[in-house]
């Protein structure tokens, strides 16, 4: 929905360069994301822990205040919703490739 709002905004306004975050404003660890994804989709994902890579940040959270004010948009989906939607999208892609 945020991307749709952005396209609508760009179509209604003069061309400009904007950098907007479309996040929830809440951080999620990689492990929390993997565990949530597995739980809500009832799948198993193999993973392993490794050393932090050079340049990896400890924490990154999208500040979506500018998106909220410019687009009138606010994230409505939960982490569960996003994991379910992404898995459904991926399965649909896979089934299209098979046909």
């Amino acid at each position: 929905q945020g991307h749709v709002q952005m396209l609508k905004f760009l179509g209604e306004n003069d061309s400009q360069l904007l950098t907007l975050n479309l996040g929830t404003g809440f951080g999620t660890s990689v492990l929390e994301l993997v565990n949530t994804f597995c739980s809500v989709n009832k799948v198993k994902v193999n993973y392993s822990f490794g050393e932090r890579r050079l340049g990896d940040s400890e924490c990154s959270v999208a500040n979506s205040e500018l998106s909220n004010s410019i687009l009138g948009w606010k994230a409505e989906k939960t982490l569960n919703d996003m994991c379910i939607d992404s898995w459904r999208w991926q399965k649909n892609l896979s089934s299209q490739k098979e046909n």
Side-chain angles (χ1 to χ4, degrees):
Q1 292 302 327
H3 292 101
V4 170
Q5 284 299 109
M6 176 50 103
L7 290 172
K8 183 178 176 184
F9 175 83
L10 290 173
E12 295 171 354
N13 295 277
D14 292 334
S15 259
Q16 53 189 300
L17 178 62
L18 286 174
T19 301
L20 299 176
N21 290 315
L22 297 177
T24 62
F26 298 101
T28 302
S29 73
V30 174
L31 185 57
E32 182 183 2
L33 177 61
V34 170
N35 287 337
T36 300
F37 183 90
C38 292
S39 174
V40 298
N41 291 304
K42 298 176 179 35
V43 296
K44 185 174 190 238
V45 173
N46 294 322
Y47 61 88
S48 62
F49 293 95
E51 295 296 318
R52 181 183 298 262
R53 300 169 301 183
L54 183 64
D56 280 351
S57 63
E58 246 181 75
C59 179
S60 178
V61 179
N63 181 340
S64 56
E65 289 177 14
L66 187 58
S67 298
N68 295 348
S69 66
I70 290 178
L71 305 177
W73 175 86
K74 186 171 175 28
E76 296 176 359
K77 299 276 187 175
T78 65
L79 183 60
N80 288 7
D81 294 332
M82 291 183 266
C83 287
I84 290 167
D85 286 348
S86 65
W87 185 234
R88 179 177 32 240
W89 173 76
Q90 186 60 48
K91 289 192 306 187
N92 286 340
L93 275 182
S94 297
S95 67
Q96 288 175 5
K97 288 179 184 177
E98 292 172 3
N99 294 328

